[in-house]
Amino acid sequence: DTAVSQTPKYLVTQMGNDKSIKCEQNLGHDTMYWYKQDSKKFLKIMFSYNNKELIINETVPNRFSPKSPDKAHLNLHINSLELGDSAVYFCASSRRGDGETQYFGPGTRLLVL
Amino acid sequence: AQSVTQPDIHITVSEGASLELRCNYSYGATPYLFWYVQSPGQGLQLLLKYFSGDTLVQGIKGFEAEFKRSQSSFNLRKPSVHWSDAAEYFCAVGRGGGADGLTFGKGTHLIIQP
């Protein structure tokens, strides 16, 4: 059983398109996150959600819109994709009382052409 | 604001040799500290974490790390590396509790020589 899963694993698309990435966790955690890993492998938090409520929005362009339909799911929709959006996007989850220990999904590799 | 510095971008170690990866952090209070490993094309796997208590923490795959408050360091060690340890290693610090997530260092790329 995969603890944190993401779909799709790979996404290749043209500039200007709109795309979505889905994330699901079966760990029973109440907080979920999106991180972006750039071409130099630097990881930076984008968003966090706790019980479907947005907590952190780290100066991400408003073309990025997270949505959490329930505690187990956090999706990321990206409008008007740009070349600079090419990166690996990781979903993660954590449990209250566990010191923000993040459990990561396998990542979605986005390439914008 | 928190920050994490991993001073070594690349480290090359011979198989069977010992390993130490350096991590320095900046944080006002007692930090939550983590080491993650990322194999090529994979996600991030938690190696170990420090919240409080014993400053020497044991992790998976034979790794350990030592928290030194006076040096603001949390270095990762392994007594004898295996070829399968070749990967990217990330040190991270909790951003403040709750749902704030982690601040990561830029990573250290570990190369294992036969």
mmCIF file of all heavy atoms in Angstrom, chain B residues 1-7 21-35 48-53 55 57 65-76 90-96 102-106:
data_model
loop_
_atom_site.group_PDB
_atom_site.id
_atom_site.type_symbol
_atom_site.label_atom_id
_atom_site.label_comp_id
_atom_site.label_asym_id
_atom_site.label_seq_id
_atom_site.Cartn_x
_atom_site.Cartn_y
_atom_site.Cartn_z
ATOM 1 N N ALA B 1 14.108 34.044 10.208
ATOM 2 C CA ALA B 1 13.651 32.907 9.415
ATOM 3 C C ALA B 1 14.667 31.777 9.519
ATOM 4 O O ALA B 1 15.856 32.005 9.693
ATOM 5 C CB ALA B 1 13.469 33.320 7.964
ATOM 6 N N GLN B 2 14.140 30.567 9.390
ATOM 7 C CA GLN B 2 15.032 29.426 9.472
ATOM 8 C C GLN B 2 15.858 29.307 8.203
ATOM 9 O O GLN B 2 15.434 29.727 7.134
ATOM 10 C CB GLN B 2 14.229 28.129 9.611
ATOM 11 C CG GLN B 2 13.110 28.170 10.594
ATOM 12 C CD GLN B 2 11.850 28.735 9.965
ATOM 13 O OE1 GLN B 2 11.844 29.193 8.829
ATOM 14 N NE2 GLN B 2 10.784 28.730 10.706
ATOM 15 N N SER B 3 17.033 28.706 8.347
ATOM 16 C CA SER B 3 17.825 28.377 7.164
ATOM 17 C C SER B 3 18.653 27.137 7.460
ATOM 18 O O SER B 3 18.924 26.819 8.621
ATOM 19 C CB SER B 3 18.737 29.533 6.746
ATOM 20 O OG SER B 3 19.713 29.760 7.729
ATOM 21 N N VAL B 4 19.023 26.442 6.406
ATOM 22 C CA VAL B 4 19.831 25.234 6.530
ATOM 23 C C VAL B 4 20.957 25.326 5.511
ATOM 24 O O VAL B 4 20.708 25.617 4.339
ATOM 25 C CB VAL B 4 18.985 23.973 6.260
ATOM 26 C CG1 VAL B 4 19.856 22.720 6.311
ATOM 27 C CG2 VAL B 4 17.847 23.868 7.259
ATOM 28 N N THR B 5 22.158 25.054 5.950
ATOM 29 C CA THR B 5 23.323 25.077 5.073
ATOM 30 C C THR B 5 23.963 23.706 5.030
ATOM 31 O O THR B 5 24.307 23.135 6.065
ATOM 32 C CB THR B 5 24.364 26.101 5.563
ATOM 33 O OG1 THR B 5 23.759 27.388 5.624
ATOM 34 C CG2 THR B 5 25.552 26.145 4.614
ATOM 35 N N GLN B 6 24.102 23.192 3.832
ATOM 36 C CA GLN B 6 24.879 21.984 3.621
ATOM 37 C C GLN B 6 26.093 22.405 2.804
ATOM 38 O O GLN B 6 25.978 22.648 1.603
ATOM 39 C CB GLN B 6 24.051 20.926 2.888
ATOM 40 C CG GLN B 6 22.885 20.404 3.730
ATOM 41 C CD GLN B 6 22.061 19.370 3.001
ATOM 42 O OE1 GLN B 6 20.910 19.605 2.653
ATOM 43 N NE2 GLN B 6 22.653 18.198 2.770
ATOM 44 N N PRO B 7 27.247 22.528 3.436
ATOM 45 C CA PRO B 7 28.387 23.151 2.769
ATOM 46 C C PRO B 7 28.996 22.333 1.633
ATOM 47 O O PRO B 7 29.664 22.895 0.773
ATOM 48 C CB PRO B 7 29.407 23.350 3.899
ATOM 49 C CG PRO B 7 28.912 22.580 5.051
ATOM 50 C CD PRO B 7 27.504 22.203 4.825
ATOM 51 N N LEU B 21 28.300 13.763 6.579
ATOM 52 C CA LEU B 21 27.711 14.853 5.801
ATOM 53 C C LEU B 21 27.352 15.975 6.774
ATOM 54 O O LEU B 21 26.695 15.737 7.784
ATOM 55 C CB LEU B 21 26.461 14.378 5.062
ATOM 56 C CG LEU B 21 26.659 13.220 4.085
ATOM 57 C CD1 LEU B 21 25.341 12.898 3.375
ATOM 58 C CD2 LEU B 21 27.737 13.524 3.070
ATOM 59 N N ARG B 22 27.746 17.187 6.405
ATOM 60 C CA ARG B 22 27.584 18.305 7.319
ATOM 61 C C ARG B 22 26.282 19.067 7.085
ATOM 62 O O ARG B 22 25.827 19.203 5.942
ATOM 63 C CB ARG B 22 28.765 19.254 7.179
ATOM 64 C CG ARG B 22 30.102 18.635 7.596
ATOM 65 C CD ARG B 22 31.208 19.653 7.497
ATOM 66 N NE ARG B 22 31.510 20.028 6.125
ATOM 67 C CZ ARG B 22 32.227 21.097 5.790
ATOM 68 N NH1 ARG B 22 32.660 21.922 6.721
ATOM 69 N NH2 ARG B 22 32.481 21.348 4.517
ATOM 70 N N CYS B 23 25.732 19.560 8.187
ATOM 71 C CA CYS B 23 24.514 20.361 8.131
ATOM 72 C C CYS B 23 24.562 21.372 9.258
ATOM 73 O O CYS B 23 24.801 21.014 10.417
ATOM 74 C CB CYS B 23 23.281 19.476 8.287
ATOM 75 S SG CYS B 23 21.733 20.395 8.463
ATOM 76 N N ASN B 24 24.370 22.645 8.914
ATOM 77 C CA ASN B 24 24.241 23.708 9.903
ATOM 78 C C ASN B 24 22.900 24.382 9.718
ATOM 79 O O ASN B 24 22.437 24.565 8.596
ATOM 80 C CB ASN B 24 25.377 24.724 9.764
ATOM 81 C CG ASN B 24 26.713 24.123 10.125
ATOM 82 O OD1 ASN B 24 27.461 23.680 9.273
ATOM 83 N ND2 ASN B 24 26.994 24.076 11.415
ATOM 84 N N TYR B 25 22.300 24.765 10.815
ATOM 85 C CA TYR B 25 20.974 25.352 10.736
ATOM 86 C C TYR B 25 20.958 26.681 11.474
ATOM 87 O O TYR B 25 21.817 26.968 12.324
ATOM 88 C CB TYR B 25 19.929 24.406 11.347
ATOM 89 C CG TYR B 25 20.111 24.241 12.836
ATOM 90 C CD1 TYR B 25 19.471 25.088 13.734
ATOM 91 C CD2 TYR B 25 20.952 23.256 13.339
ATOM 92 C CE1 TYR B 25 19.676 24.978 15.095
ATOM 93 C CE2 TYR B 25 21.171 23.138 14.695
ATOM 94 C CZ TYR B 25 20.537 23.997 15.575
ATOM 95 O OH TYR B 25 20.747 23.886 16.908
ATOM 96 N N SER B 26 19.963 27.465 11.149
ATOM 97 C CA SER B 26 19.706 28.710 11.859
ATOM 98 C C SER B 26 18.250 28.696 12.270
ATOM 99 O O SER B 26 17.366 28.594 11.418
ATOM 100 C CB SER B 26 19.993 29.904 10.941
ATOM 101 O OG SER B 26 19.563 31.087 11.549
ATOM 102 N N TYR B 27 18.041 28.748 13.598
ATOM 103 C CA TYR B 27 16.663 28.692 14.116
ATOM 104 C C TYR B 27 16.671 29.241 15.523
ATOM 105 O O TYR B 27 17.570 28.974 16.287
ATOM 106 C CB TYR B 27 16.172 27.245 14.102
ATOM 107 C CG TYR B 27 14.703 27.098 14.412
ATOM 108 C CD1 TYR B 27 13.741 27.503 13.496
ATOM 109 C CD2 TYR B 27 14.287 26.565 15.618
ATOM 110 C CE1 TYR B 27 12.389 27.370 13.772
ATOM 111 C CE2 TYR B 27 12.938 26.431 15.906
ATOM 112 C CZ TYR B 27 11.996 26.835 14.986
ATOM 113 O OH TYR B 27 10.664 26.705 15.264
ATOM 114 N N GLY B 28 15.658 29.994 15.890
ATOM 115 C CA GLY B 28 15.656 30.689 17.171
ATOM 116 C C GLY B 28 15.428 29.801 18.376
ATOM 117 O O GLY B 28 15.977 30.037 19.444
ATOM 118 N N ALA B 29 14.630 28.786 18.222
ATOM 119 C CA ALA B 29 14.274 27.935 19.357
ATOM 120 C C ALA B 29 14.885 26.549 19.151
ATOM 121 O O ALA B 29 15.740 26.372 18.300
ATOM 122 C CB ALA B 29 12.760 27.850 19.461
ATOM 123 N N THR B 30 14.466 25.604 19.964
ATOM 124 C CA THR B 30 14.930 24.232 19.775
ATOM 125 C C THR B 30 14.354 23.701 18.472
ATOM 126 O O THR B 30 13.133 23.670 18.297
ATOM 127 C CB THR B 30 14.488 23.330 20.936
ATOM 128 O OG1 THR B 30 15.033 23.853 22.132
ATOM 129 C CG2 THR B 30 14.984 21.917 20.710
ATOM 130 N N PRO B 31 15.217 23.303 17.557
ATOM 131 C CA PRO B 31 14.718 22.935 16.233
ATOM 132 C C PRO B 31 14.249 21.494 16.151
ATOM 133 O O PRO B 31 14.683 20.640 16.925
ATOM 134 C CB PRO B 31 15.952 23.118 15.357
ATOM 135 C CG PRO B 31 17.100 22.780 16.265
ATOM 136 C CD PRO B 31 16.680 23.233 17.645
ATOM 137 N N TYR B 32 13.356 21.257 15.214
ATOM 138 C CA TYR B 32 13.084 19.904 14.766
ATOM 139 C C TYR B 32 13.976 19.707 13.535
ATOM 140 O O TYR B 32 13.890 20.474 12.585
ATOM 141 C CB TYR B 32 11.621 19.729 14.362
ATOM 142 C CG TYR B 32 10.633 19.809 15.494
ATOM 143 C CD1 TYR B 32 9.289 20.036 15.231
ATOM 144 C CD2 TYR B 32 11.021 19.645 16.816
ATOM 145 C CE1 TYR B 32 8.354 20.098 16.255
ATOM 146 C CE2 TYR B 32 10.104 19.710 17.844
ATOM 147 C CZ TYR B 32 8.768 19.940 17.559
ATOM 148 O OH TYR B 32 7.851 20.000 18.576
ATOM 149 N N LEU B 33 14.808 18.678 13.536
ATOM 150 C CA LEU B 33 15.792 18.479 12.476
ATOM 151 C C LEU B 33 15.608 17.122 11.825
ATOM 152 O O LEU B 33 15.270 16.138 12.491
ATOM 153 C CB LEU B 33 17.207 18.597 13.049
ATOM 154 C CG LEU B 33 17.595 19.984 13.539
ATOM 155 C CD1 LEU B 33 18.804 19.911 14.461
ATOM 156 C CD2 LEU B 33 17.878 20.907 12.361
ATOM 157 N N PHE B 34 15.876 17.096 10.534
ATOM 158 C CA PHE B 34 15.621 15.887 9.750
ATOM 159 C C PHE B 34 16.744 15.676 8.741
ATOM 160 O O PHE B 34 17.359 16.620 8.260
ATOM 161 C CB PHE B 34 14.305 16.021 8.957
ATOM 162 C CG PHE B 34 13.106 16.365 9.786
ATOM 163 C CD1 PHE B 34 12.834 17.676 10.132
ATOM 164 C CD2 PHE B 34 12.233 15.368 10.197
ATOM 165 C CE1 PHE B 34 11.717 18.003 10.900
ATOM 166 C CE2 PHE B 34 11.121 15.677 10.962
ATOM 167 C CZ PHE B 34 10.864 16.994 11.315
ATOM 168 N N TRP B 35 16.954 14.422 8.387
ATOM 169 C CA TRP B 35 17.741 14.044 7.226
ATOM 170 C C TRP B 35 16.864 13.154 6.340
ATOM 171 O O TRP B 35 16.245 12.187 6.816
ATOM 172 C CB TRP B 35 19.006 13.268 7.601
ATOM 173 C CG TRP B 35 20.161 14.132 7.972
ATOM 174 C CD1 TRP B 35 20.583 14.468 9.221
ATOM 175 C CD2 TRP B 35 21.070 14.770 7.062
ATOM 176 N NE1 TRP B 35 21.698 15.270 9.153
ATOM 177 C CE2 TRP B 35 22.025 15.469 7.847
ATOM 178 C CE3 TRP B 35 21.199 14.812 5.666
ATOM 179 C CZ2 TRP B 35 23.081 16.208 7.283
ATOM 180 C CZ3 TRP B 35 22.240 15.538 5.117
ATOM 181 C CH2 TRP B 35 23.166 16.220 5.914
ATOM 182 N N LEU B 48 16.239 9.930 9.457
ATOM 183 C CA LEU B 48 16.166 10.090 10.900
ATOM 184 C C LEU B 48 15.709 11.503 11.220
ATOM 185 O O LEU B 48 15.670 12.363 10.340
ATOM 186 C CB LEU B 48 17.528 9.802 11.563
ATOM 187 C CG LEU B 48 18.780 10.420 10.955
ATOM 188 C CD1 LEU B 48 18.925 11.880 11.300
ATOM 189 C CD2 LEU B 48 20.021 9.661 11.408
ATOM 190 N N LYS B 49 15.375 11.701 12.513
ATOM 191 C CA LYS B 49 14.905 13.010 12.944
ATOM 192 C C LYS B 49 15.292 13.237 14.397
ATOM 193 O O LYS B 49 15.501 12.288 15.160
ATOM 194 C CB LYS B 49 13.394 13.124 12.772
ATOM 195 C CG LYS B 49 12.603 12.076 13.573
ATOM 196 C CD LYS B 49 11.129 12.135 13.204
ATOM 197 C CE LYS B 49 10.345 11.065 13.961
ATOM 198 N NZ LYS B 49 8.909 11.035 13.549
ATOM 199 N N TYR B 50 15.402 14.507 14.753
ATOM 200 C CA TYR B 50 15.696 14.903 16.118
ATOM 201 C C TYR B 50 14.666 15.928 16.565
ATOM 202 O O TYR B 50 14.454 16.955 15.902
ATOM 203 C CB TYR B 50 17.097 15.516 16.230
ATOM 204 C CG TYR B 50 17.332 16.118 17.588
ATOM 205 C CD1 TYR B 50 17.661 15.307 18.677
ATOM 206 C CD2 TYR B 50 17.203 17.482 17.806
ATOM 207 C CE1 TYR B 50 17.850 15.853 19.936
ATOM 208 C CE2 TYR B 50 17.388 18.035 19.049
ATOM 209 C CZ TYR B 50 17.703 17.218 20.111
ATOM 210 O OH TYR B 50 17.901 17.746 21.361
ATOM 211 N N PHE B 51 14.047 15.642 17.719
ATOM 212 C CA PHE B 51 13.123 16.608 18.300
ATOM 213 C C PHE B 51 13.649 17.107 19.642
ATOM 214 O O PHE B 51 13.630 18.302 19.915
ATOM 215 C CB PHE B 51 11.744 15.970 18.518
ATOM 216 C CG PHE B 51 11.022 15.628 17.243
ATOM 217 C CD1 PHE B 51 9.900 14.822 17.266
ATOM 218 C CD2 PHE B 51 11.446 16.105 16.012
ATOM 219 C CE1 PHE B 51 9.223 14.500 16.099
ATOM 220 C CE2 PHE B 51 10.783 15.785 14.838
ATOM 221 C CZ PHE B 51 9.660 14.980 14.884
ATOM 222 N N SER B 52 14.089 16.175 20.482
ATOM 223 C CA SER B 52 14.589 16.522 21.809
ATOM 224 C C SER B 52 15.237 15.278 22.394
ATOM 225 O O SER B 52 15.214 14.208 21.787
ATOM 226 C CB SER B 52 13.452 17.001 22.713
ATOM 227 O OG SER B 52 12.520 15.954 22.937
ATOM 228 N N GLY B 53 15.835 15.430 23.581
ATOM 229 C CA GLY B 53 16.388 14.270 24.267
ATOM 230 C C GLY B 53 17.800 13.955 23.821
ATOM 231 O O GLY B 53 18.604 14.860 23.551
ATOM 232 N N THR B 55 21.043 13.481 22.091
ATOM 233 C CA THR B 55 21.509 14.243 20.925
ATOM 234 C C THR B 55 22.070 13.366 19.821
ATOM 235 O O THR B 55 22.337 13.856 18.735
ATOM 236 C CB THR B 55 22.572 15.267 21.356
ATOM 237 O OG1 THR B 55 23.636 14.567 22.018
ATOM 238 C CG2 THR B 55 21.974 16.310 22.290
ATOM 239 N N VAL B 57 21.076 10.459 17.432
ATOM 240 C CA VAL B 57 19.885 9.744 16.997
ATOM 241 C C VAL B 57 20.262 8.701 15.953
ATOM 242 O O VAL B 57 21.120 8.939 15.102
ATOM 243 C CB VAL B 57 18.812 10.703 16.437
ATOM 244 C CG1 VAL B 57 18.264 11.575 17.534
ATOM 245 C CG2 VAL B 57 19.351 11.556 15.316
ATOM 246 N N ALA B 65 22.923 10.558 13.414
ATOM 247 C CA ALA B 65 23.230 11.980 13.353
ATOM 248 C C ALA B 65 23.361 12.503 14.768
ATOM 249 O O ALA B 65 22.721 12.000 15.694
ATOM 250 C CB ALA B 65 22.139 12.735 12.597
ATOM 251 N N GLU B 66 24.173 13.526 14.928
ATOM 252 C CA GLU B 66 24.400 14.120 16.233
ATOM 253 C C GLU B 66 24.010 15.583 16.224
ATOM 254 O O GLU B 66 24.502 16.357 15.387
ATOM 255 C CB GLU B 66 25.855 13.972 16.658
ATOM 256 C CG GLU B 66 26.096 14.437 18.092
ATOM 257 C CD GLU B 66 27.472 14.096 18.609
ATOM 258 O OE1 GLU B 66 28.345 13.703 17.804
ATOM 259 O OE2 GLU B 66 27.676 14.231 19.821
ATOM 260 N N PHE B 67 23.146 15.962 17.137
ATOM 261 C CA PHE B 67 22.732 17.355 17.307
ATOM 262 C C PHE B 67 23.707 18.044 18.253
ATOM 263 O O PHE B 67 23.926 17.591 19.381
ATOM 264 C CB PHE B 67 21.315 17.401 17.873
ATOM 265 C CG PHE B 67 20.860 18.767 18.308
ATOM 266 C CD1 PHE B 67 20.769 19.799 17.388
ATOM 267 C CD2 PHE B 67 20.511 19.012 19.625
ATOM 268 C CE1 PHE B 67 20.347 21.062 17.773
ATOM 269 C CE2 PHE B 67 20.078 20.259 20.027
ATOM 270 C CZ PHE B 67 19.998 21.290 19.104
ATOM 271 N N LYS B 68 24.292 19.138 17.791
ATOM 272 C CA LYS B 68 25.189 19.938 18.635
ATOM 273 C C LYS B 68 24.660 21.357 18.635
ATOM 274 O O LYS B 68 24.879 22.129 17.688
ATOM 275 C CB LYS B 68 26.621 19.883 18.101
ATOM 276 C CG LYS B 68 27.268 18.510 18.231
ATOM 277 C CD LYS B 68 28.731 18.543 17.809
ATOM 278 C CE LYS B 68 29.381 17.184 18.017
ATOM 279 N NZ LYS B 68 30.812 17.171 17.617
ATOM 280 N N ARG B 69 24.021 21.719 19.740
ATOM 281 C CA ARG B 69 23.405 23.036 19.829
ATOM 282 C C ARG B 69 24.456 24.133 19.744
ATOM 283 O O ARG B 69 24.247 25.145 19.079
ATOM 284 C CB ARG B 69 22.612 23.160 21.134
ATOM 285 C CG ARG B 69 21.857 24.467 21.270
ATOM 286 C CD ARG B 69 21.249 24.600 22.648
ATOM 287 N NE ARG B 69 20.310 23.523 22.936
ATOM 288 C CZ ARG B 69 19.040 23.533 22.547
ATOM 289 N NH1 ARG B 69 18.562 24.554 21.868
ATOM 290 N NH2 ARG B 69 18.256 22.523 22.869
ATOM 291 N N SER B 70 25.586 23.931 20.391
ATOM 292 C CA SER B 70 26.628 24.970 20.448
ATOM 293 C C SER B 70 27.187 25.281 19.066
ATOM 294 O O SER B 70 27.671 26.385 18.821
ATOM 295 C CB SER B 70 27.762 24.533 21.372
ATOM 296 O OG SER B 70 28.370 23.354 20.879
ATOM 297 N N GLN B 71 27.130 24.314 18.170
ATOM 298 C CA GLN B 71 27.650 24.510 16.819
ATOM 299 C C GLN B 71 26.526 24.662 15.792
ATOM 300 O O GLN B 71 26.802 24.795 14.600
ATOM 301 C CB GLN B 71 28.541 23.321 16.432
ATOM 302 C CG GLN B 71 29.759 23.175 17.322
ATOM 303 C CD GLN B 71 30.587 21.952 16.982
ATOM 304 O OE1 GLN B 71 30.492 21.398 15.886
ATOM 305 N NE2 GLN B 71 31.410 21.512 17.919
ATOM 306 N N SER B 72 25.278 24.625 16.254
ATOM 307 C CA SER B 72 24.126 24.674 15.348
ATOM 308 C C SER B 72 24.298 23.672 14.212
ATOM 309 O O SER B 72 24.119 23.994 13.028
ATOM 310 C CB SER B 72 23.939 26.093 14.774
ATOM 311 O OG SER B 72 23.668 27.004 15.806
ATOM 312 N N SER B 73 24.676 22.463 14.596
ATOM 313 C CA SER B 73 24.944 21.453 13.572
ATOM 314 C C SER B 73 24.142 20.187 13.826
ATOM 315 O O SER B 73 23.734 19.899 14.947
ATOM 316 C CB SER B 73 26.434 21.119 13.513
ATOM 317 O OG SER B 73 26.839 20.432 14.683
ATOM 318 N N PHE B 74 23.958 19.455 12.758
ATOM 319 C CA PHE B 74 23.248 18.173 12.812
ATOM 320 C C PHE B 74 23.856 17.309 11.714
ATOM 321 O O PHE B 74 23.281 17.093 10.665
ATOM 322 C CB PHE B 74 21.750 18.389 12.599
ATOM 323 C CG PHE B 74 20.889 17.174 12.827
ATOM 324 C CD1 PHE B 74 20.933 16.479 14.023
ATOM 325 C CD2 PHE B 74 19.996 16.747 11.841
ATOM 326 C CE1 PHE B 74 20.119 15.369 14.238
ATOM 327 C CE2 PHE B 74 19.182 15.635 12.040
ATOM 328 C CZ PHE B 74 19.245 14.946 13.249
ATOM 329 N N ASN B 75 25.052 16.816 11.951
ATOM 330 C CA ASN B 75 25.792 16.074 10.939
ATOM 331 C C ASN B 75 25.365 14.612 10.881
ATOM 332 O O ASN B 75 25.117 13.971 11.900
ATOM 333 C CB ASN B 75 27.290 16.155 11.210
ATOM 334 C CG ASN B 75 27.824 17.563 11.047
ATOM 335 O OD1 ASN B 75 27.138 18.452 10.548
ATOM 336 N ND2 ASN B 75 29.058 17.775 11.484
ATOM 337 N N LEU B 76 25.336 14.107 9.677
ATOM 338 C CA LEU B 76 24.928 12.723 9.420
ATOM 339 C C LEU B 76 26.163 11.851 9.260
ATOM 340 O O LEU B 76 27.112 12.252 8.563
ATOM 341 C CB LEU B 76 24.092 12.673 8.141
ATOM 342 C CG LEU B 76 23.514 11.316 7.720
ATOM 343 C CD1 LEU B 76 22.393 10.899 8.657
ATOM 344 C CD2 LEU B 76 22.997 11.379 6.277
ATOM 345 N N PHE B 90 19.480 15.338 2.005
ATOM 346 C CA PHE B 90 18.953 16.651 2.374
ATOM 347 C C PHE B 90 18.787 16.747 3.882
ATOM 348 O O PHE B 90 18.186 15.869 4.503
ATOM 349 C CB PHE B 90 17.592 16.888 1.714
ATOM 350 C CG PHE B 90 17.637 17.009 0.218
ATOM 351 C CD1 PHE B 90 17.396 15.905 -0.585
ATOM 352 C CD2 PHE B 90 17.917 18.220 -0.387
ATOM 353 C CE1 PHE B 90 17.436 16.001 -1.964
ATOM 354 C CE2 PHE B 90 17.965 18.334 -1.773
ATOM 355 C CZ PHE B 90 17.727 17.221 -2.553
ATOM 356 N N CYS B 91 19.271 17.840 4.405
ATOM 357 C CA CYS B 91 19.030 18.194 5.798
ATOM 358 C C CYS B 91 17.884 19.201 5.817
ATOM 359 O O CYS B 91 17.760 20.031 4.888
ATOM 360 C CB CYS B 91 20.294 18.810 6.393
ATOM 361 S SG CYS B 91 20.199 19.247 8.126
ATOM 362 N N ALA B 92 17.033 19.136 6.827
ATOM 363 C CA ALA B 92 15.888 20.048 6.870
ATOM 364 C C ALA B 92 15.583 20.419 8.312
ATOM 365 O O ALA B 92 15.884 19.665 9.248
ATOM 366 C CB ALA B 92 14.665 19.405 6.219
ATOM 367 N N VAL B 93 14.959 21.580 8.471
ATOM 368 C CA VAL B 93 14.544 22.048 9.788
ATOM 369 C C VAL B 93 13.069 22.396 9.744
ATOM 370 O O VAL B 93 12.571 22.926 8.739
ATOM 371 C CB VAL B 93 15.392 23.266 10.234
ATOM 372 C CG1 VAL B 93 15.192 24.471 9.314
ATOM 373 C CG2 VAL B 93 15.087 23.661 11.668
ATOM 374 N N GLY B 94 12.347 22.082 10.817
ATOM 375 C CA GLY B 94 10.947 22.452 10.897
ATOM 376 C C GLY B 94 10.803 23.963 10.932
ATOM 377 O O GLY B 94 11.633 24.665 11.524
ATOM 378 N N ARG B 95 9.753 24.446 10.297
ATOM 379 C CA ARG B 95 9.586 25.877 10.147
ATOM 380 C C ARG B 95 8.819 26.528 11.285
ATOM 381 O O ARG B 95 8.604 27.732 11.257
ATOM 382 C CB ARG B 95 8.866 26.164 8.825
ATOM 383 C CG ARG B 95 9.757 26.014 7.599
ATOM 384 C CD ARG B 95 8.950 25.745 6.324
ATOM 385 N NE ARG B 95 7.853 26.659 6.173
ATOM 386 C CZ ARG B 95 7.922 27.783 5.444
ATOM 387 N NH1 ARG B 95 9.037 28.102 4.838
ATOM 388 N NH2 ARG B 95 6.866 28.564 5.343
ATOM 389 N N GLY B 96 8.419 25.791 12.258
ATOM 390 C CA GLY B 96 7.769 26.473 13.368
ATOM 391 C C GLY B 96 6.618 25.730 13.983
ATOM 392 O O GLY B 96 5.996 26.220 14.911
ATOM 393 N N LEU B 102 8.760 22.188 6.132
ATOM 394 C CA LEU B 102 10.192 22.155 6.396
ATOM 395 C C LEU B 102 10.943 23.112 5.480
ATOM 396 O O LEU B 102 10.524 23.378 4.360
ATOM 397 C CB LEU B 102 10.743 20.739 6.158
ATOM 398 C CG LEU B 102 10.096 19.603 6.934
ATOM 399 C CD1 LEU B 102 10.772 18.275 6.585
ATOM 400 C CD2 LEU B 102 10.149 19.857 8.424
ATOM 401 N N THR B 103 12.077 23.606 5.995
ATOM 402 C CA THR B 103 13.046 24.335 5.177
ATOM 403 C C THR B 103 14.207 23.381 4.925
ATOM 404 O O THR B 103 14.784 22.828 5.862
ATOM 405 C CB THR B 103 13.541 25.590 5.894
ATOM 406 O OG1 THR B 103 12.450 26.502 6.040
ATOM 407 C CG2 THR B 103 14.649 26.265 5.101
ATOM 408 N N PHE B 104 14.537 23.215 3.649
ATOM 409 C CA PHE B 104 15.576 22.255 3.265
ATOM 410 C C PHE B 104 16.887 22.955 2.937
ATOM 411 O O PHE B 104 16.904 24.101 2.467
ATOM 412 C CB PHE B 104 15.132 21.481 2.023
ATOM 413 C CG PHE B 104 14.152 20.388 2.309
ATOM 414 C CD1 PHE B 104 12.796 20.661 2.379
ATOM 415 C CD2 PHE B 104 14.573 19.087 2.519
ATOM 416 C CE1 PHE B 104 11.876 19.649 2.650
ATOM 417 C CE2 PHE B 104 13.661 18.067 2.784
ATOM 418 C CZ PHE B 104 12.315 18.355 2.856
ATOM 419 N N GLY B 105 17.996 22.224 3.163
ATOM 420 C CA GLY B 105 19.268 22.626 2.607
ATOM 421 C C GLY B 105 19.304 22.275 1.137
ATOM 422 O O GLY B 105 18.379 21.651 0.599
ATOM 423 N N LYS B 106 20.393 22.665 0.471
ATOM 424 C CA LYS B 106 20.487 22.471 -0.974
ATOM 425 C C LYS B 106 20.921 21.062 -1.362
ATOM 426 O O LYS B 106 20.995 20.747 -2.549
ATOM 427 C CB LYS B 106 21.426 23.515 -1.565
ATOM 428 C CG LYS B 106 20.842 24.913 -1.444
ATOM 429 C CD LYS B 106 21.598 25.940 -2.263
ATOM 430 C CE LYS B 106 20.887 27.289 -2.183
ATOM 431 N NZ LYS B 106 21.551 28.324 -2.983
#
